[in-house]
Amino acid sequence: MHPDDRHGLTQVVDRAIVAHSQYRHDYRVVWSDGSIHWIEGRGRAFYDEAGQPVRMIGTVTDIDDRKQNAAQRDQLVSSSSNCPSS
């Protein structure tokens, strides 16, 4: 996981555990080649009779293409709004 995203994910998961709810969070991971990719994590905890979390289950999905497309779209919108009108 990218070091800058560790705290945010920890907060999201901790809140979901306390609220007994699911979580969904986008964060970056660093691959073994040093490249950075976006991941969407979703999950939930399971609790014992006393309400204590005993396990978690979840999925991760590579959303790097989606994030790159959104960044390109935002850049295009930003650059077109800075162009003078004809």
Side-chain angles (χ1 to χ4, degrees):
M1 179 181 302
H2 192 283
D4 293 345
D5 295 345
R6 217 175 287 265
H7 181 72
L9 180 60
T10 300
Q11 287 184 320
V12 167
V13 172
D14 287 348
R15 281 193 303 263
I17 289 171
V18 169
H20 291 221
S21 64
Q22 297 181 14
Y23 71 88
R24 183 202 158 281
H25 191 67
D26 297 349
Y27 57 94
R28 296 166 293 174
V29 293
V30 182
W31 287 9
S32 59
D33 65 1
S35 61
I36 298 172
H37 298 265
W38 280 95
I39 298 292
E40 176 188 73
R42 294 176 181 238
R44 64 175 286 208
F46 292 86
Y47 304 86
D48 63 15
E49 298 81 23
Q52 296 299 308
V54 292
R55 68 184 171 107
M56 291 192 80
I57 190 167
T59 62
V60 293
T61 304
D62 183 340
I63 60 166
D64 200 57
D65 288 344
R66 184 185 331 160
K67 288 287 193 174
Q68 287 182 16
N69 290 338
Q72 289 173 350
R73 183 182 60 244
D74 292 347
Q75 186 177 14
L76 286 171
V77 169
S78 177
S79 64
S80 68
S81 65
N82 292 330
C83 292
S85 300
S86 302

Coordinates of all heavy atoms in Angstrom, one line a residue:
M1 N 0.8 -1.2 0.0 CA 0.0 0.0 0.0 C 0.9 1.2 0.0 O 1.9 1.3 0.6 CB -0.9 0.0 1.2 CG -1.8 1.2 1.3 SD -2.8 1.3 2.8 CE -3.7 -0.3 2.6
H2 N 0.4 2.3 -0.7 CA 1.2 3.5 -0.7 C 1.2 4.1 0.7 O 0.1 4.2 1.3 CB 0.5 4.5 -1.7 CG 1.3 5.7 -2.1 ND1 1.5 6.7 -1.2 CD2 2.1 5.9 -3.1 CE1 2.3 7.6 -1.7 NE2 2.7 7.1 -2.9
P3 N 2.3 4.5 1.2 CA 2.4 5.0 2.5 C 1.4 6.2 2.8 O 0.9 6.3 3.9 CB 3.8 5.5 2.7 CG 4.6 4.8 1.6 CD 3.6 4.5 0.5
D4 N 1.2 7.1 1.8 CA 0.3 8.2 2.0 C -1.2 7.8 2.2 O -2.0 8.6 2.6 CB 0.4 9.2 0.8 CG 1.8 9.9 0.8 OD1 2.6 9.8 1.8 OD2 2.1 10.4 -0.3
D5 N -1.5 6.6 1.8 CA -2.9 6.2 1.8 C -3.2 5.3 3.0 O -4.4 4.9 3.3 CB -3.3 5.5 0.5 CG -3.3 6.4 -0.7 OD1 -3.2 7.6 -0.5 OD2 -3.3 5.9 -1.8
R6 N -2.2 4.9 3.7 CA -2.4 3.9 4.8 C -3.3 4.4 5.9 O -4.2 3.7 6.4 CB -1.0 3.6 5.4 CG -0.8 2.2 5.9 CD 0.7 2.1 6.4 NE 1.6 2.0 5.3 CZ 2.0 0.9 4.7 NH1 1.6 -0.2 5.1 NH2 2.9 1.0 3.7
H7 N -3.1 5.6 6.3 CA -3.9 6.2 7.4 C -5.4 6.3 7.0 O -6.3 6.0 7.8 CB -3.4 7.6 7.8 CG -4.1 8.2 8.9 ND1 -4.1 7.8 10.2 CD2 -5.0 9.3 8.9 CE1 -4.9 8.6 11.0 NE2 -5.4 9.5 10.2
G8 N -5.7 6.8 5.8 CA -7.1 6.9 5.4 C -7.8 5.6 5.3 O -9.0 5.5 5.8
L9 N -7.1 4.6 4.8 CA -7.8 3.2 4.8 C -8.0 2.7 6.2 O -9.1 2.1 6.5 CB -7.0 2.3 3.9 CG -7.5 0.9 3.8 CD1 -8.9 0.9 3.2 CD2 -6.6 -0.1 3.1
T10 N -7.0 2.9 7.0 CA -7.2 2.4 8.4 C -8.4 3.1 9.1 O -9.2 2.4 9.7 CB -5.9 2.7 9.2 OG1 -4.8 2.0 8.6 CG2 -6.1 2.3 10.7
Q11 N -8.6 4.4 8.9 CA -9.8 5.1 9.4 C -11.1 4.5 8.9 O -12.0 4.3 9.6 CB -9.7 6.6 9.1 CG -8.6 7.3 10.0 CD -8.7 8.8 9.7 OE1 -8.8 9.2 8.6 NE2 -8.5 9.5 10.8
V12 N -11.1 4.3 7.6 CA -12.4 3.8 6.9 C -12.7 2.4 7.5 O -13.9 2.1 7.9 CB -12.2 3.8 5.4 CG1 -13.3 3.0 4.8 CG2 -12.2 5.2 4.9
V13 N -11.7 1.5 7.6 CA -12.0 0.2 8.1 C -12.3 0.2 9.6 O -13.3 -0.5 10.0 CB -10.7 -0.7 7.8 CG1 -10.9 -2.1 8.5 CG2 -10.5 -0.9 6.3
D14 N -11.7 1.0 10.3 CA -12.0 1.1 11.8 C -13.4 1.6 12.0 O -14.1 1.1 12.8 CB -11.0 2.1 12.5 CG -9.6 1.5 12.7 OD1 -9.5 0.2 12.5 OD2 -8.7 2.2 13.0
R15 N -13.8 2.6 11.2 CA -15.2 3.1 11.3 C -16.2 2.0 11.0 O -17.3 1.9 11.6 CB -15.4 4.4 10.5 CG -14.9 5.6 11.1 CD -15.4 6.9 10.4 NE -15.1 6.9 8.9 CZ -14.0 7.5 8.4 NH1 -13.2 8.2 9.1 NH2 -13.8 7.5 7.1
A16 N -15.9 1.3 9.9 CA -16.8 0.2 9.5 C -16.9 -0.9 10.6 O -18.0 -1.4 10.8 CB -16.4 -0.4 8.2
I17 N -15.8 -1.2 11.2 CA -15.9 -2.2 12.3 C -16.7 -1.7 13.5 O -17.6 -2.4 14.0 CB -14.4 -2.6 12.8 CG1 -13.7 -3.3 11.7 CG2 -14.5 -3.3 14.1 CD1 -12.3 -3.6 11.9
V18 N -16.5 -0.5 13.9 CA -17.3 0.1 15.0 C -18.8 0.1 14.7 O -19.6 -0.2 15.5 CB -16.8 1.5 15.4 CG1 -17.7 2.2 16.3 CG2 -15.4 1.4 16.0
A19 N -19.1 0.5 13.4 CA -20.5 0.7 13.0 C -21.1 -0.6 12.5 O -22.3 -0.6 12.2 CB -20.6 1.7 11.9
H20 N -20.4 -1.7 12.5 CA -20.8 -3.0 12.0 C -21.4 -2.8 10.6 O -22.4 -3.3 10.2 CB -21.9 -3.6 12.9 CG -21.4 -4.1 14.2 ND1 -21.8 -5.2 14.8 CD2 -20.4 -3.5 15.0 CE1 -21.1 -5.4 15.9 NE2 -20.3 -4.4 16.1
S21 N -20.6 -2.1 9.7 CA -21.1 -1.8 8.4 C -20.0 -2.2 7.4 O -18.9 -2.6 7.8 CB -21.4 -0.3 8.2 OG -20.2 0.5 8.4
Q22 N -20.3 -2.2 6.1 CA -19.4 -2.4 5.1 C -18.5 -1.2 4.8 O -18.9 -0.1 5.2 CB -20.1 -2.8 3.8 CG -20.9 -4.1 3.9 CD -21.6 -4.4 2.6 OE1 -21.3 -3.9 1.5 NE2 -22.6 -5.3 2.7
Y23 N -17.4 -1.4 4.2 CA -16.5 -0.3 3.8 C -16.2 -0.4 2.3 O -16.3 -1.5 1.7 CB -15.2 -0.2 4.6 CG -14.2 -1.3 4.3 CD1 -13.3 -1.1 3.3 CD2 -14.2 -2.5 5.0 CE1 -12.4 -2.1 3.0 CE2 -13.3 -3.5 4.7 CZ -12.4 -3.3 3.7 OH -11.5 -4.3 3.4
R24 N -15.9 0.8 1.7 CA -15.5 0.9 0.4 C -14.5 2.1 0.3 O -14.8 3.1 0.8 CB -16.6 1.2 -0.6 CG -16.2 1.3 -2.0 CD -17.2 2.1 -2.9 NE -16.6 2.6 -4.1 CZ -15.8 3.6 -4.2 NH1 -15.5 4.3 -3.1 NH2 -15.3 4.0 -5.3
H25 N -13.3 1.8 -0.2 CA -12.3 2.9 -0.2 C -11.3 2.7 -1.4 O -10.9 1.6 -1.7 CB -11.5 2.9 1.1 CG -10.7 4.0 1.3 ND1 -11.2 5.3 1.5 CD2 -9.3 4.2 1.4 CE1 -10.2 6.2 1.7 NE2 -9.1 5.5 1.6
D26 N -11.0 3.8 -2.1 CA -10.0 3.8 -3.1 C -8.7 4.2 -2.5 O -8.6 5.1 -1.7 CB -10.4 4.8 -4.2 CG -11.7 4.4 -4.9 OD1 -12.2 3.3 -4.7 OD2 -12.1 5.3 -5.7
Y27 N -7.6 3.4 -2.9 CA -6.3 3.8 -2.4 C -5.3 3.2 -3.4 O -5.6 2.5 -4.3 CB -6.1 3.2 -1.0 CG -6.2 1.7 -0.9 CD1 -5.2 0.8 -1.1 CD2 -7.5 1.1 -0.7 CE1 -5.3 -0.6 -1.0 CE2 -7.7 -0.3 -0.6 CZ -6.6 -1.1 -0.8 OH -6.7 -2.5 -0.7
R28 N -4.0 3.7 -3.2 CA -3.0 3.3 -4.1 C -2.1 2.2 -3.5 O -2.0 2.1 -2.3 CB -2.1 4.5 -4.4 CG -2.8 5.6 -5.1 CD -2.0 6.9 -5.1 NE -2.0 7.4 -3.7 CZ -1.3 8.5 -3.3 NH1 -0.6 9.2 -4.2 NH2 -1.3 8.9 -2.1
V29 N -1.6 1.4 -4.4 CA -0.6 0.4 -4.0 C 0.6 0.6 -4.9 O 0.6 1.1 -6.0 CB -1.2 -1.1 -4.2 CG1 -2.3 -1.3 -3.2 CG2 -1.6 -1.3 -5.6
V30 N 1.7 0.1 -4.3 CA 3.0 0.2 -5.0 C 3.4 -1.2 -5.4 O 3.5 -2.1 -4.5 CB 4.1 0.8 -4.1 CG1 5.4 0.9 -4.9 CG2 3.7 2.2 -3.6
W31 N 3.5 -1.5 -6.7 CA 3.8 -2.8 -7.2 C 5.3 -3.1 -7.0 O 6.1 -2.1 -6.8 CB 3.4 -3.0 -8.6 CG 1.9 -3.1 -8.8 CD1 1.0 -2.9 -7.8 CD2 1.2 -3.5 -9.9 NE1 -0.3 -3.1 -8.3 CE2 -0.2 -3.4 -9.6 CE3 1.6 -3.7 -11.2 CZ2 -1.2 -3.7 -10.6 CZ3 0.6 -4.0 -12.2 CH2 -0.8 -4.0 -11.8
S32 N 5.7 -4.3 -7.2 CA 7.1 -4.7 -7.0 C 8.1 -3.9 -7.9 O 9.3 -3.7 -7.6 CB 7.3 -6.2 -7.1 OG 6.9 -6.6 -8.4
D33 N 7.6 -3.5 -9.1 CA 8.4 -2.7 -10.0 C 8.5 -1.3 -9.7 O 9.1 -0.5 -10.4 CB 8.0 -3.0 -11.5 CG 6.6 -2.4 -11.8 OD1 5.9 -1.8 -10.9 OD2 6.1 -2.5 -12.9
G34 N 7.8 -0.8 -8.6 CA 7.8 0.6 -8.2 C 6.7 1.4 -8.8 O 6.5 2.5 -8.4
S35 N 5.9 0.8 -9.7 CA 4.8 1.6 -10.3 C 3.6 1.7 -9.3 O 3.5 0.8 -8.4 CB 4.3 0.9 -11.6 OG 3.9 -0.4 -11.4
I36 N 2.9 2.7 -9.4 CA 1.7 3.0 -8.5 C 0.4 2.8 -9.2 O 0.2 3.2 -10.3 CB 1.8 4.4 -7.9 CG1 3.1 4.6 -7.1 CG2 0.6 4.7 -7.0 CD1 3.4 6.0 -6.7
H37 N -0.5 2.0 -8.6 CA -1.8 1.7 -9.2 C -2.9 1.9 -8.2 O -2.7 1.8 -6.9 CB -1.8 0.2 -9.6 CG -0.8 -0.1 -10.6 ND1 -1.0 -0.1 -12.0 CD2 0.6 -0.4 -10.5 CE1 0.0 -0.4 -12.6 NE2 1.0 -0.6 -11.8
W38 N -4.1 2.3 -8.7 CA -5.2 2.5 -7.8 C -6.0 1.2 -7.7 O -6.2 0.4 -8.6 CB -6.1 3.6 -8.5 CG -5.6 4.9 -8.2 CD1 -4.9 5.7 -9.1 CD2 -5.9 5.7 -7.1 NE1 -4.6 6.9 -8.5 CE2 -5.2 7.0 -7.3 CE3 -6.6 5.5 -5.9 CZ2 -5.3 8.0 -6.3 CZ3 -6.6 6.6 -5.0 CH2 -6.0 7.8 -5.2
I39 N -6.5 1.0 -6.4 CA -7.3 -0.2 -6.0 C -8.5 0.3 -5.3 O -8.5 1.3 -4.6 CB -6.4 -1.1 -5.0 CG1 -5.2 -1.6 -5.7 CG2 -7.3 -2.2 -4.5 CD1 -5.3 -2.5 -6.8
E40 N -9.6 -0.4 -5.6 CA -10.8 -0.2 -4.8 C -11.0 -1.4 -3.9 O -11.0 -2.5 -4.3 CB -12.1 -0.1 -5.7 CG -13.4 0.0 -4.9 CD -14.6 -0.1 -5.8 OE1 -14.9 -1.2 -6.2 OE2 -15.2 0.9 -6.0
G41 N -11.0 -1.1 -2.6 CA -11.2 -2.2 -1.6 C -12.6 -2.1 -1.0 O -13.1 -1.0 -0.7
R42 N -13.2 -3.2 -0.9 CA -14.5 -3.3 -0.3 C -14.5 -4.5 0.7 O -13.9 -5.5 0.4 CB -15.6 -3.6 -1.3 CG -15.9 -2.5 -2.3 CD -16.9 -3.0 -3.3 NE -17.1 -1.9 -4.3 CZ -18.3 -1.4 -4.5 NH1 -19.4 -1.8 -3.9 NH2 -18.4 -0.5 -5.4
G43 N -15.2 -4.4 1.8 CA -15.2 -5.5 2.8 C -16.1 -5.2 3.9 O -16.8 -4.2 4.0
R44 N -16.1 -6.2 4.8 CA -16.9 -6.1 6.0 C -16.4 -7.1 7.1 O -15.7 -8.1 6.7 CB -18.4 -6.4 5.8 CG -18.7 -7.8 5.3 CD -20.1 -8.0 5.1 NE -20.7 -8.2 6.5 CZ -21.7 -8.9 6.7 NH1 -22.4 -9.5 5.8 NH2 -22.2 -9.1 7.9
A45 N -16.6 -6.8 8.3 CA -16.2 -7.7 9.4 C -17.4 -8.6 9.8 O -18.5 -8.3 9.5 CB -15.8 -6.9 10.6
F46 N -17.0 -9.7 10.4 CA -18.0 -10.6 11.0 C -17.7 -10.7 12.5 O -16.6 -10.6 12.9 CB -17.9 -12.0 10.4 CG -18.3 -12.1 8.9 CD1 -17.4 -11.8 7.9 CD2 -19.6 -12.4 8.6 CE1 -17.8 -11.8 6.6 CE2 -20.0 -12.4 7.3 CZ -19.1 -12.1 6.3
Y47 N -18.8 -10.8 13.2 CA -18.7 -10.6 14.7 C -19.2 -11.9 15.4 O -20.0 -12.6 14.9 CB -19.6 -9.4 15.1 CG -19.2 -8.2 14.3 CD1 -19.7 -7.9 13.1 CD2 -18.2 -7.3 14.9 CE1 -19.3 -6.8 12.4 CE2 -17.9 -6.2 14.1 CZ -18.4 -5.9 12.9 OH -18.0 -4.8 12.2
D48 N -18.6 -12.0 16.6 CA -19.1 -13.1 17.5 C -20.3 -12.7 18.3 O -20.8 -11.6 18.1 CB -18.0 -13.6 18.4 CG -17.5 -12.6 19.4 OD1 -18.2 -11.5 19.6 OD2 -16.4 -12.8 20.0
E49 N -20.8 -13.6 19.1 CA -22.0 -13.3 19.9 C -21.9 -12.1 20.8 O -22.9 -11.4 21.1 CB -22.4 -14.5 20.8 CG -22.7 -15.8 20.0 CD -21.5 -16.5 19.5 OE1 -20.4 -16.4 20.2 OE2 -21.6 -17.3 18.5
A50 N -20.7 -11.8 21.2 CA -20.4 -10.6 22.1 C -20.3 -9.3 21.3 O -20.1 -8.3 21.8 CB -19.2 -10.9 22.9
G51 N -20.4 -9.4 19.9 CA -20.2 -8.2 19.1 C -18.8 -7.9 18.7 O -18.5 -6.8 18.2
Q52 N -17.9 -8.8 19.0 CA -16.5 -8.5 18.7 C -16.1 -9.0 17.3 O -16.6 -10.1 16.9 CB -15.6 -9.2 19.8 CG -15.7 -8.7 21.2 CD -15.4 -7.3 21.3 OE1 -14.3 -6.8 20.9 NE2 -16.3 -6.5 21.8
P53 N -15.4 -8.2 16.6 CA -15.0 -8.7 15.2 C -14.1 -9.9 15.3 O -13.1 -9.9 16.1 CB -14.3 -7.5 14.6 CG -13.8 -6.7 15.8 CD -14.8 -6.9 16.9
V54 N -14.4 -10.9 14.5 CA -13.6 -12.1 14.5 C -12.9 -12.4 13.2 O -11.9 -13.2 13.2 CB -14.4 -13.4 15.0 CG1 -14.8 -13.2 16.4 CG2 -15.6 -13.5 14.1
R55 N -13.4 -11.9 12.1 CA -12.8 -12.0 10.8 C -13.3 -11.0 9.9 O -14.4 -10.4 10.1 CB -13.0 -13.4 10.2 CG -14.4 -13.7 9.9 CD -14.5 -15.2 9.4 NE -15.9 -15.6 9.2 CZ -16.4 -15.7 8.0 NH1 -15.8 -15.6 6.9 NH2 -17.7 -16.1 7.9
M56 N -12.6 -10.8 8.8 CA -13.0 -9.8 7.8 C -12.9 -10.6 6.4 O -12.1 -11.5 6.2 CB -12.1 -8.6 7.7 CG -12.3 -7.7 8.9 SD -11.5 -6.1 8.7 CE -12.7 -5.3 7.8
I57 N -13.8 -10.1 5.5 CA -13.8 -10.6 4.2 C -13.9 -9.4 3.2 O -14.6 -8.4 3.6 CB -14.9 -11.7 3.9 CG1 -14.7 -12.4 2.6 CG2 -16.2 -11.1 4.1 CD1 -15.5 -13.6 2.4
G58 N -13.3 -9.5 2.1 CA -13.4 -8.4 1.2 C -12.8 -8.7 -0.2 O -12.4 -9.8 -0.4
T59 N -12.9 -7.7 -1.0 CA -12.3 -7.8 -2.4 C -11.5 -6.5 -2.7 O -11.8 -5.5 -2.1 CB -13.4 -7.9 -3.5 OG1 -14.3 -6.8 -3.4 CG2 -14.3 -9.2 -3.2
V60 N -10.6 -6.7 -3.6 CA -9.9 -5.5 -4.2 C -10.0 -5.6 -5.7 O -10.0 -6.7 -6.3 CB -8.4 -5.5 -3.7 CG1 -8.3 -5.2 -2.2 CG2 -7.7 -6.7 -4.1
T61 N -10.2 -4.5 -6.3 CA -10.4 -4.4 -7.7 C -9.4 -3.3 -8.3 O -9.3 -2.2 -7.7 CB -11.8 -4.0 -8.1 OG1 -12.7 -4.9 -7.5 CG2 -12.0 -3.9 -9.6
D62 N -8.7 -3.6 -9.3 CA -7.8 -2.7 -9.9 C -8.6 -1.7 -10.7 O -9.3 -2.0 -11.6 CB -6.9 -3.4 -10.9 CG -5.8 -2.6 -11.6 OD1 -6.0 -1.3 -11.6 OD2 -4.8 -3.1 -12.1
I63 N -8.5 -0.4 -10.3 CA -9.3 0.7 -10.9 C -8.4 1.7 -11.5 O -8.8 2.9 -11.7 CB -10.3 1.3 -9.9 CG1 -9.6 1.9 -8.7 CG2 -11.4 0.3 -9.5 CD1 -10.4 2.8 -7.9
D64 N -7.1 1.3 -11.8 CA -6.2 2.3 -12.3 C -6.6 2.9 -13.6 O -6.5 4.2 -13.7 CB -4.8 1.6 -12.4 CG -3.7 2.6 -12.5 OD1 -3.5 3.3 -11.5 OD2 -2.9 2.6 -13.5
D65 N -7.1 2.2 -14.5 CA -7.6 2.8 -15.8 C -8.7 3.8 -15.5 O -8.7 4.9 -16.1 CB -8.1 1.7 -16.7 CG -7.0 0.8 -17.3 OD1 -5.9 1.3 -17.3 OD2 -7.3 -0.3 -17.8
R66 N -9.6 3.5 -14.6 CA -10.7 4.4 -14.3 C -10.2 5.7 -13.8 O -10.6 6.8 -14.1 CB -11.7 3.8 -13.3 CG -12.9 4.6 -13.0 CD -13.8 4.0 -11.9 NE -13.8 2.6 -11.8 CZ -14.2 2.0 -10.7 NH1 -14.7 2.6 -9.7 NH2 -14.2 0.6 -10.7
K67 N -9.2 5.6 -12.8 CA -8.6 6.8 -12.2 C -7.8 7.6 -13.3 O -7.9 8.9 -13.3 CB -7.7 6.4 -11.1 CG -8.5 5.9 -9.8 CD -9.1 7.1 -9.1 CE -9.6 6.7 -7.8 NZ -10.1 7.8 -7.0
Q68 N -7.1 7.0 -14.1 CA -6.3 7.7 -15.2 C -7.3 8.4 -16.1 O -7.0 9.5 -16.5 CB -5.4 6.7 -15.9 CG -4.2 6.3 -15.1 CD -3.3 5.4 -15.8 OE1 -3.4 5.3 -17.1 NE2 -2.4 4.7 -15.1
N69 N -8.4 7.7 -16.5 CA -9.3 8.3 -17.4 C -10.0 9.6 -16.8 O -10.2 10.6 -17.4 CB -10.4 7.3 -17.9 CG -9.8 6.3 -18.8 OD1 -8.8 6.5 -19.4 ND2 -10.5 5.1 -18.9
A70 N -10.3 9.5 -15.5 CA -10.9 10.6 -14.8 C -9.9 11.8 -14.7 O -10.3 12.9 -14.9 CB -11.4 10.2 -13.4
A71 N -8.7 11.5 -14.4 CA -7.7 12.5 -14.4 C -7.5 13.2 -15.7 O -7.4 14.4 -15.8 CB -6.3 11.9 -13.9
Q72 N -7.5 12.4 -16.8 CA -7.4 13.0 -18.1 C -8.6 13.9 -18.5 O -8.4 15.0 -19.0 CB -7.2 11.9 -19.2 CG -5.9 11.2 -19.1 CD -5.8 10.0 -20.1 OE1 -6.8 9.6 -20.6 NE2 -4.6 9.5 -20.2
R73 N -9.8 13.4 -18.1 CA -11.0 14.2 -18.3 C -10.9 15.5 -17.6 O -11.2 16.5 -18.1 CB -12.2 13.3 -18.0 CG -13.5 14.1 -18.2 CD -14.7 13.2 -17.8 NE -14.7 13.0 -16.4 CZ -14.6 11.7 -15.8 NH1 -14.5 10.7 -16.6 NH2 -14.5 11.6 -14.5
D74 N -10.5 15.4 -16.3 CA -10.4 16.6 -15.5 C -9.4 17.6 -16.1 O -9.7 18.8 -16.1 CB -10.1 16.3 -14.1 CG -11.2 15.5 -13.3 OD1 -12.3 15.5 -13.8 OD2 -10.9 15.0 -12.2
Q75 N -8.3 17.1 -16.6 CA -7.3 17.9 -17.2 C -7.9 18.6 -18.4 O -7.6 19.8 -18.7 CB -6.1 17.1 -17.5 CG -4.9 18.0 -18.0 CD -3.7 17.1 -18.2 OE1 -3.7 15.9 -18.3 NE2 -2.5 17.8 -18.4
L76 N -8.6 17.9 -19.3 CA -9.2 18.5 -20.5 C -10.2 19.5 -20.1 O -10.2 20.6 -20.7 CB -9.9 17.4 -21.3 CG -8.9 16.5 -22.1 CD1 -9.7 15.3 -22.7 CD2 -8.2 17.2 -23.2
V77 N -11.0 19.3 -19.1 CA -12.0 20.2 -18.7 C -11.4 21.5 -18.2 O -11.7 22.6 -18.5 CB -13.0 19.7 -17.6 CG1 -13.8 20.7 -17.0 CG2 -13.9 18.6 -18.3
S78 N -10.3 21.3 -17.4 CA -9.6 22.4 -16.8 C -8.9 23.3 -17.9 O -9.0 24.5 -17.9 CB -8.6 21.9 -15.8 OG -7.8 23.0 -15.3
S79 N -8.3 22.6 -18.9 CA -7.6 23.3 -19.9 C -8.6 24.0 -20.9 O -8.3 25.1 -21.4 CB -6.7 22.4 -20.7 OG -7.4 21.4 -21.4
S80 N -9.7 23.4 -21.1 CA -10.7 24.1 -22.0 C -11.4 25.3 -21.3 O -11.7 26.2 -21.9 CB -11.8 23.1 -22.4 OG -12.6 22.7 -21.4
S81 N -11.5 25.3 -20.0 CA -12.0 26.4 -19.3 C -11.1 27.6 -19.2 O -11.4 28.7 -19.0 CB -12.5 26.0 -17.9 OG -11.4 25.7 -17.1
N82 N -9.8 27.3 -19.4 CA -8.8 28.3 -19.4 C -8.5 28.9 -20.8 O -7.8 29.9 -20.9 CB -7.4 27.8 -18.9 CG -7.5 27.4 -17.4 OD1 -8.3 28.1 -16.7 ND2 -6.8 26.5 -17.0
C83 N -9.2 28.4 -21.8 CA -9.0 28.9 -23.2 C -9.9 30.1 -23.4 O -11.1 30.1 -23.0 CB -9.4 27.8 -24.2 SG -8.2 26.4 -24.2
P84 N -9.4 31.1 -24.1 CA -10.3 32.3 -24.3 C -11.3 31.9 -25.3 O -11.2 31.1 -26.2 CB -9.3 33.3 -24.9 CG -8.1 32.6 -25.3 CD -8.0 31.3 -24.5
S85 N -12.5 32.5 -25.2 CA -13.6 32.3 -26.1 C -13.4 32.9 -27.4 O -12.8 34.0 -27.5 CB -14.9 32.8 -25.5 OG -15.2 32.1 -24.3
S86 N -13.9 32.4 -28.5 CA -13.7 33.0 -29.8 C -14.9 33.9 -30.1 O -15.9 33.8 -29.7 CB -13.8 31.9 -30.9 OG -12.8 31.0 -30.7

